[in-house]
Amino acid sequence: MKKINSILIANRGEIAIRIIKTAKKMGIQTYVIKTAKEPNAIYLNFADHICDFTERFDEIPEFLDVEKLIETAVQYKIDAIHPGYGFLAENPYFAQRCEEEKIEFIGPSADVIYKMGNKTIAKQIARKHKIPLLEGSKGNLANADQAIEIAKIIGYPVILKAASGGGGRGMRIVENDSQMEKNFRLATNEAEKAFNDPSVFVEKYVRNPKHIEFQVLADKMGNTIHLGERECSVQRKHQKLLEESPSPALTEDLRKRMGEAAIRITQAVKYYSAGTVEFLLDADGGFYFMEMNTRIQVEHPVTEEITGVDLIEQQIRVAQSEKLTLTQDDIKINGWAIECRINAEDVQAGFSPNLGTIQKISLPKGEGIRIDTGIESGSVITPFYDSMIAKLIVHGENREKTIEAMLNALGKLRIKGVKTTIPFCKAVLTNKVFVNGTFNTSFIEKDMEKTYFQEKDEEMLAAFFATYNYANEIREEKDTWVDHEKGKNIDPWLLNKRLR
Amino acid sequence: MKLSFKKRSSSEPVKYITLGKDGKKYEFIYSPTDGLRVNSKKQDIEIIDDADGFTYIKFKNKKFPVEVIEQNQNKFVILINGVSYNYTVETPLSYQRKQIIEKTMKKSKTGFVSAPMPGKIIEVFAEENAIINEGDVLLILEAMKMQNEILSTISGVVKKINIKQGDNVNKDDILLEIRQ
Amino acid sequence: MDVNGKIFKKFLDRRHSSDLHLEQAITKQHAKGKLSARERIELLFDRNTFEEIDEFATSAKAGSDFGKADRGFGDGVVTGFGKINGRLTFVYAQDFTVMGGSLGAIHAQKITKIMDLSMKMGAPIIGLIDSGGARIQDGVVSLAGYSDIFLRNVQASGVIPQISVIMGPAAGGAVYSPALTDFTFMTKHTSYMFVTGPNVVKEVLNEDVTTDELGGADVHARKSGVANFIFEDEENTLLGVKRLLSYFPSNNLENPAFIESTDNRFRFEEKLRDIVPDDPNKPYDVKDAIKLIVDNGRFLEVSELYAQNIVTGFARLNGKSIGIVANQPKILAGTLDIDASMKGAKFVRFCDSFNIPILTLEDVPGFLPGVNQEYGGLIKHGAKLLYAYCEATVPKVTVILRKAYGGAFCVMNSKNIGGDFSFAWPTAEIAVMGPEGAVAILYKKELAEATDPVKVKKELAAKYREEIANPYIADEKGYIDEVIDPADTRIKLIVAFEALESKHVNIPSRKHGNIPL
């Protein structure tokens, strides 16, 4: 067992701060990376040490520069690297380089990252261990025609997915033969861009499924538990916007069966650290393994809230080769938790990023409210990174009360300077289909008439405010008084010479 | 020889007609003696600036956070409760003028497609002189690591393409001109 | 006098016919979405200050049809004077309801009369233009009328501020008077300007084009640069005129108008430190910087939509008017091209004519390269801006925000062409050329041999930036007066302009210089 005394956080924003908080609690020194893109970001204030990456001349973005990160860890004699989510979190090469340099990678082994990261291999493993699956191509596709052939067997609609993908990028739904050519090109193009790997595969597309994922935790000795599910069906273009735990759709029996399946696949690959097994759940309770995310998830706080387990702490303990002290029986689901992702996006303009400076932010406070954020008043939302401003997590007694508390908290969360997804979150939480729990991944397109919440009289008041400002401006203009007498007082010395 | 035109005086009510994008219309009349009337109904609206730099409208005992996010002459974009609304504020005269112009003006034959956000042009599908229909994909713009399809809002002939693959564009840059 | 008698009645009848005409004019103009000439005047002037002259002048046969409203009332133009923001101002407003506002003999005579008065009084003149053009019936007399106006426009140029407001058609010869004045306003959709109309274009070139597409407000604001300001409606247009006038002196001997400042004279603006991004190639909006520097964030931009790579406009510093010329890194990286040079030059010359000090905010990587630019005469057009700056004797202060490279550094009010004070922010890069270009020349061989030339080039560029392209060398040699904290900019500028208030430069007497045209 090797005690970790220092961690290099190869990430930014709220997750960097989240990791630092646990590290502080455990008495571990933290190192963060300062980039030229956001040299004043607040995560820098939390860390014990700052590694300056502002003077770099490479095209590779800072958090993707494997060699530079490894070099930094070696230079500062840092014991471990936490990759957070995104960036290099699921890059097997990075994990392998850590292993080579005897730096503890806080996450699973490079081998497992590779296997689970490649969806084709992951599926083969799942198939071997009798985990229910959605059928599709046996491997990567060579061209669009091949995809059309497979689609003929499994039937439309089908979905094209990037083999090394995640987070919705490189995914395209195809309804018929004629759309295949274009979508194939777009999917490979996007996959190439996002993951440096153009390979895509095709599989049957389940319409309107629920997206349910299980949080698992395993140590290096093979002890594995799950910490219940997360309901992530509120998605737009495969981007999660609001998550909750537990899911209103799961019965105790279903939870048990899905949880077991999650553990089975986790053990099958000798997984250790925290991970997430994603399933699609259809209306009849049939579930299908989709993929395993070999990292800490953005939405991990909802699980932490209802189970009381600090997932980052567990990740670090596993990395130190500690044995899991928790057993499956220790995991009790306590109440309900919802997370709203507050992104700098213009919901009214199709969720397009709304870049700019957060002029002011005021956060709600109170019992059961948790906010994970990496910004403060004056922070800039840059085009270089994702548009997340904060995660607002509310923990309550039951679903009904949690929804109410969340609406209340959203009302108190005020952000000036950019448009955010707050009106969207309010609209979801007040939607009947959401409230009764029967929603699925097509919720936004199908069940939401309006993607943003409007309060009564709001439109009229906005019109009033425009008018008020305009009227004031005109009045000010009309009242302008020019002191022209002062203009006539000219130094005779000057006046004499002003004429030429 | 003074103008024999009706004189303005300060006690006269001020009237504005405020128009929304979707045909919403509000009439605001304010006079120092009568107060504020919205669509001829008397209303009590208060504007509060708090110490933290937020502005609120207080109406029927409710507080609405509000800010002006864009203004160009009489065109406003107001953000209230995080939702934005576009309004043009018109005086009775300019409102009348607007109605006349809408009726008499020939619609411009050229439509412009502009960039909705800053980003990089990944692929251009449109070709000059090609006939396109409303909703056709013109090009792909990458921003925030996402590829966004830019669709045509009108049908017509592509008159001019101002960009090429690999170009970086700013918000509101005109990408294409389409002639109806 | 017997107020009920015949003599006074005749006087009253005349007044009545004037009211009658006004009513008709309002109905006619409102039907087109326009205001009548008198309503426009009413909006422009301070309440009850307008005095009309030559109200009953007419080119119709005198005598028998005297005083009838439909017989060429006022000959299609309202002229007079009054106060705008408390200052004497002269105006002529064409009345489209009388013979299409066409320019006839008396019409022209009225305009020249009011122009002469404004010249004698040294007060600004505003033309509200809404006219079908020359009155064909009057033949050569109306052409002579135009010429009389043009001559006065030129004589008044640089003596009193002249503003043209296009509120209806202005075609053919009528466009040249606005072109000779200092600023042109246009109202969207109801005003247009062109030398030859759509019919002629159709005949000669067989091209279909609408009036709005050929000479509408948008076209002149964006493409031709003829219109300096455009507005949605006439009320806003006239408000804009008032706003612009508030920055001017009444004539070339006065100092610009003063408005008591409510802003803090000693405002230390920390936000200015975040304006220029750390990445030297990243764009930013220079207007953000301007708004943080000037009084109450109020900046009136001139020619906002034309040649947007240079920003020109008026603002106040501690109550006193200044003209601002700034490179706009957001557009074309702030390079100077033909249009930007002309826009800047015209603005600088206006400020110089009317004793308005000039503040230059510089972030210019150079002149825009390209065949079109060279063929188009970038050399001579760029020279206009250079000439204008050299020629200007008003107080001139420069702040270098970031890039100041090559010839463009000289042009943008450098100390050696007469800039009075030059400040630089610590982010300034002053050198003969940008790092990438310089490195490519200086280390040509090394780069060719390098295994990773992109990286080596970047490293060398950073070294160049560190050692050469910074404000400190210029500061040590005296080409910069001081490297300042961006947060101090407002305070420094106020002090600098105050010190320069009694500036005077001896220049050789001559007829006039020969600006490269």
Side-chain angles (χ1 to χ4, degrees), chain B residues 4 73 75 91 97 100, chain C residues 19 30 188 230 232 235:
Chain B
S4 55
Q73 294 177 27
K75 291 197 189 84
T91 61
R97 168 188 152 88
I100 292 164
Chain C
D19 288 352
H30 282 204
K188 280 191 190 171
I230 60 166
E232 279 300 326
E235 286 156 290

Side-chain angles (χ1 to χ4, degrees), chain C residues 291-313:
Chain C
K291 284 175 188 158
L292 288 170
I293 294 170
V294 301
D295 286 1
N296 304 320
R298 296 191 75 126
F299 175 59
L300 179 67
E301 192 172 351
V302 176
S303 302
E304 184 180 353
L305 302 169
Y306 178 69
Q308 295 178 38
N309 41 342
I310 198 162
V311 173
T312 54

Side-chain angles (χ1 to χ4, degrees), chain A residues 109-135 137-139 260-271 277 279 288-292 294:
Chain A
S109 65
D111 176 55
V112 170
I113 297 175
Y114 172 72
K115 283 179 184 158
M116 290 322 228
N118 187 312
K119 283 175 194 166
T120 319
I121 302 176
K123 289 210 153 174
Q124 280 165 3
I125 296 169
R127 197 172 290 120
K128 207 170 115 194
H129 288 84
K130 307 258 176 324
I131 314 278
L133 272 180
L134 290 173
E135 285 311 323
S137 58
K138 294 280 182 287
E260 277 167 9
I263 289 175
R264 202 152 70 233
I265 191 150
T266 309
Q267 285 176 326
V269 288
K270 299 199 168 58
Y271 190 97
V277 184
F279 294 103
Y288 309 93
F289 169 75
M290 274 204 304
E291 59 174 337
M292 181 163 188
T294 56

Side-chain angles (χ1 to χ4, degrees), chain A residues 353 355 383, chain B residues 117-120 122 141-148:
Chain A
L355 306 179
Chain B
M117 63 195 111
K120 193 176 171 185
I122 298 301
L141 175 72
E142 187 182 74
M144 307 291 280
K145 300 185 214 153
M146 287 288 286
Q147 300 202 344
N148 303 280

Side-chain angles (χ1 to χ4, degrees), chain A residues 60-102:
Chain A
I60 321 167
E62 295 84 353
F63 296 112
L64 293 176
D65 191 342
V66 174
E67 290 314 319
K68 175 81 183 169
L69 288 165
I70 297 283
E71 190 188 296
T72 305
V74 171
Q75 183 196 337
Y76 289 93
K77 300 195 170 60
I78 301 169
D79 296 339
I81 294 182
H82 198 306
Y85 51 69
F87 301 120
L88 294 171
E90 290 175 286
N91 183 313
Y93 176 71
F94 184 53
Q96 192 195 330
R97 287 289 293 121
C98 287
E99 282 165 32
E100 283 166 16
E101 299 294 334
K102 305 266 178 289

Side-chain angles (χ1 to χ4, degrees), chain B residues 96 100, chain C residues 19-36 39 97:
Chain B
Q96 190 191 356
I100 292 164
Chain C
D19 288 352
L20 218 67
H21 168 71
L22 182 56
E23 258 169 51
Q24 287 172 351
I26 288 174
T27 321
K28 278 190 207 162
Q29 286 287 84
H30 282 204
K32 282 187 240 153
K34 302 203 287 190
L35 296 174
S36 69
E39 284 174 297
T97 62

